[in-house]
Amino acid sequence: MSRRNMISIELLAATVQQVQSAFETIEQLLDGHVVNISPEDRQRYGSVDEQAKLFIFKAHDFYRAKGQLLPSYFDTVEYEKDFEGRKLFERFEQKAVELQEKIRDTRTLLDYDTLQYSYSLYRHLKNMSQEDIPGIDFWLEEMSQFFKRSTNNGLEEQSNDEAEPPIVD
């Protein structure tokens, strides 16, 4: 596999439109069924860890086996709806996370490829500048601002050396 071409992706415009439409469809289908809570509420309600999830399932097993022993004020309809809903949304979340990971990994490789090609382009610009090709110095200066190196006094100065700018994700 080439160091400069880790992945090659080309989506047809029709495919891009279909994907965007699919996301819009999902948003429309879930409208009114999903919520955004504030960071404070996320902190307040927390998240259920694996131990708590096991407790939820054990409580549900009891409910199924001995539900007739529950007091009359226990809302069994709402409880069952919430229990089934949490299972459903957990599956939705798992699918979304899997898709997000694939999309992120694909973008990561595309980022890597374009960065490698950009380095190559920068080196080519430097060569063209040394050959006094007109109109190149402006672009070389624009791109050089992303390359820094330390001087003897510890201050950073702009440099046209072969150092690569940091990759930040």
Side-chain angles (χ1 to χ4, degrees):
M1 189 177 277
S2 171
R3 186 175 74 116
R4 287 199 185 117
N5 195 24
M6 300 300 291
I7 192 169
S8 184
I9 302 281
E10 184 176 353
L11 295 176
L12 299 174
T15 302
V16 171
Q17 181 57 45
Q18 287 175 324
V19 170
Q20 289 173 334
S21 292
F23 280 122
E24 289 170 11
T25 299
I26 290 169
E27 286 179 333
Q28 290 168 359
L29 289 170
L30 292 177
D31 189 35
H33 302 287
V34 292
V35 298
N36 273 349
I37 59 176
S38 68
E40 295 81 18
D41 283 344
R42 280 189 201 98
Q43 188 74 24
R44 181 179 312 125
Y45 300 124
S47 62
V48 174
D49 64 9
E50 289 303 312
Q51 189 72 16
K53 216 184 290 186
L54 292 173
F55 175 73
I56 289 171
F57 286 123
K58 191 55 69 180
H60 192 260
D61 289 345
F62 168 78
Y63 163 76
R64 291 289 184 148
K66 301 287 184 179
Q68 72 276 12
L69 299 176
L70 293 172
S72 60
Y73 60 82
F74 189 87
D75 190 343
T76 58
V77 173
E78 187 61 30
Y79 171 70
E80 192 64 32
K81 191 168 72 170
D82 286 350
F83 182 81
E84 292 302 319
R86 78 150 305 283
K87 289 192 323 186
L88 177 64
F89 276 87
E90 184 176 46
R91 286 195 308 267
F92 288 170
E93 182 181 21
Q94 287 170 344
K95 292 301 280 182
V97 167
E98 289 171 10
L99 181 58
Q100 178 191 18
E101 186 174 295
K102 289 177 183 178
I103 290 170
R104 185 187 59 233
D105 290 349
T106 301
R107 188 215 15 101
T108 297
L109 291 179
L110 291 167
D111 284 349
Y112 180 83
D113 282 356
T114 56
L115 186 61
Q116 297 310 309
Y117 280 111
S118 296
Y119 291 149
S120 178
L121 178 61
Y122 176 72
R123 288 189 297 273
H124 186 67
L125 279 172
K126 286 175 55 175
N127 290 336
M128 289 191 301
S129 177
Q130 290 173 350
E131 297 298 324
D132 290 325
I133 307 246
I136 296 302
D137 288 341
F138 168 79
W139 293 105
L140 185 59
E141 284 180 37
E142 288 290 306
M143 292 177 73
S144 292
Q145 68 183 321
F146 297 98
F147 296 86
K148 295 182 178 192
R149 70 166 186 208
S150 295
T151 62
N152 291 339
N153 62 10
L155 298 175
E156 295 195 17
E157 74 176 18
Q158 301 297 329
S159 172
N160 287 344
D161 64 6
E162 289 297 319
E164 297 177 347
I167 300 173
V168 179
D169 190 69

